[in-house]
Amino acid sequence: AQRVTQPEKLLSVFKGAPVELKCNYSYSGSPELFWYVQYSRQRLQLLLRHISRESIKGFTADLNKGETSFHLKKPFAQEEDSAMYYCALSGARPSPDKLIFGTGTRLQVFP
Amino acid sequence: DGGITQSPKYLFRKEGQNVTLSCEQNLNHDAMYWYRQDPGQGLRLIYYSQIVNDFQKGDIAEGYSVSREKKESFPLTVTSAQKNPTAFYLCASNTRQGRYGYTFGSGTRLTVV
């Protein structure tokens, strides 16, 4: 069965420190992986997709098929990065558009 | 301005009542979804629809019903059979290929009083 695991409910760092939000998945096919972010009082929005290999707001994530991981990283955290982060997986047939979410990690960045 | 609109933002329901949450999109997306968001449990899929007049149960469909009579609209009814309906409900839409990620609505917070 497809599954996304985010082992940390809460991650607290100081401004300027590196950040790594962990995401592991179980899926036998070729997954498509996403990170979504929910800032306080805002709607859930797409942060980045593994297929585009992009960097958004200084965040990057690399798909490691050997370790079945898609960790989200940022070298220097900012206070405005404080938010709820969700890792998600899609691509499972018969509904490749359906997203499976992890339980989320709350990132707190202290000044 | 393209996007998804959910209404109302807050909804209070008495026990035993059915309530309907609205979700409308003007993105011309084929697929629409309803998720329930609870603290510590992430987002759990209630129902989804990939085409008009067709929808599928998600992981926690019991106590909910949906319809998809128009491409733009995917209302969710929380019935009296739903034992724990107090939650934050999110609607989303996507292309059927699913390669570009979802667009989410701003959510409806339902409270049973």
Side-chain angles (χ1 to χ4, degrees):
Chain A
Q2 301 87 27
R3 189 184 184 97
V4 176
T5 303
Q6 294 179 252
E8 302 141 328
K9 286 189 176 179
L10 175 66
L11 183 63
S12 300
V13 300
F14 286 101
K15 178 182 172 181
V19 169
E20 182 179 68
L21 287 81
K22 291 184 168 34
C23 172
N24 289 90
Y25 66 91
S26 61
Y27 178 55
S28 55
S30 294
E32 296 191 21
L33 285 144
F34 305 83
W35 276 99
Y36 282 81
V37 59
Q38 191 171 31
Y39 300 103
S40 179
R41 302 185 192 284
Q42 294 187 29
R43 64 181 67 193
L44 198 61
Q45 57 188 284
L46 178 65
L47 180 62
L48 55 78
R49 306 168 288 157
H50 92 271
I51 57 172
S52 58
R53 303 184 66 83
E54 58 205 340
S55 173
I56 303 292
K57 300 185 179 184
F59 284 99
T60 59
D62 291 318
L63 178 60
N64 186 323
K65 290 188 178 181
E67 296 182 0
T68 58
S69 68
F70 188 56
H71 303 327
L72 184 68
K73 300 177 184 179
K74 185 169 183 177
F76 307 104
Q78 304 297 316
E79 289 180 68
E80 54 266 30
D81 295 329
S82 295
M84 193 75 182
Y85 291 81
Y86 292 95
C87 182
L89 174 154
S90 76
R93 297 200 175 275
S95 303
D97 58 293
K98 197 171 75 168
L99 272 177
I100 298 166
F101 286 87
T103 52
T105 298
R106 180 167 299 282
L107 175 64
Q108 288 182 333
V109 182
F110 295 109
Chain B
D1 206 18
I4 296 187
T5 302
Q6 287 186 245
S7 61
K9 195 168 184 178
Y10 298 96
L11 187 57
F12 296 89
R13 189 195 93 171
K14 291 183 180 179
E15 288 199 24
Q17 277 184 338
N18 293 354
V19 290
T20 298
L21 285 59
S22 170
C23 179
E24 305 274 335
Q25 56 101 357
N26 61 4
L27 300 165
N28 200 34
H29 283 167
D30 288 308
M32 296 186 75
Y33 315 81
W34 275 105
Y35 284 86
R36 173 177 168 143
Q37 188 178 26
D38 294 286
Q41 298 195 54
L43 279 72
R44 293 180 291 166
L45 183 63
I46 304 172
Y47 267 100
Y48 64 103
S49 168
Q50 294 175 306
I51 198 167
V52 174
N53 292 324
D54 187 48
F55 48 83
Q56 312 294 329
K57 291 183 179 180
D59 300 317
I60 55 165
E62 185 176 348
Y64 300 97
S65 66
V66 293
S67 63
R68 187 87 186 278
E69 297 175 3
K70 297 187 300 182
K71 188 176 184 178
E72 302 79 21
S73 178
F74 191 41
L76 174 74
T77 297
V78 185
T79 74
S80 56
Q82 169 48 234
K83 291 184 174 30
N84 185 21
T86 295
F88 191 59
Y89 292 88
L90 284 170
C91 180
S93 71
N94 196 9
T95 61
R96 285 189 67 185
Q97 293 73 29
R99 298 186 66 85
Y100 301 104
Y102 287 8
T103 300
F104 279 90
S106 56
T108 293
R109 184 164 299 282
L110 173 63
T111 303
V112 173
V113 296

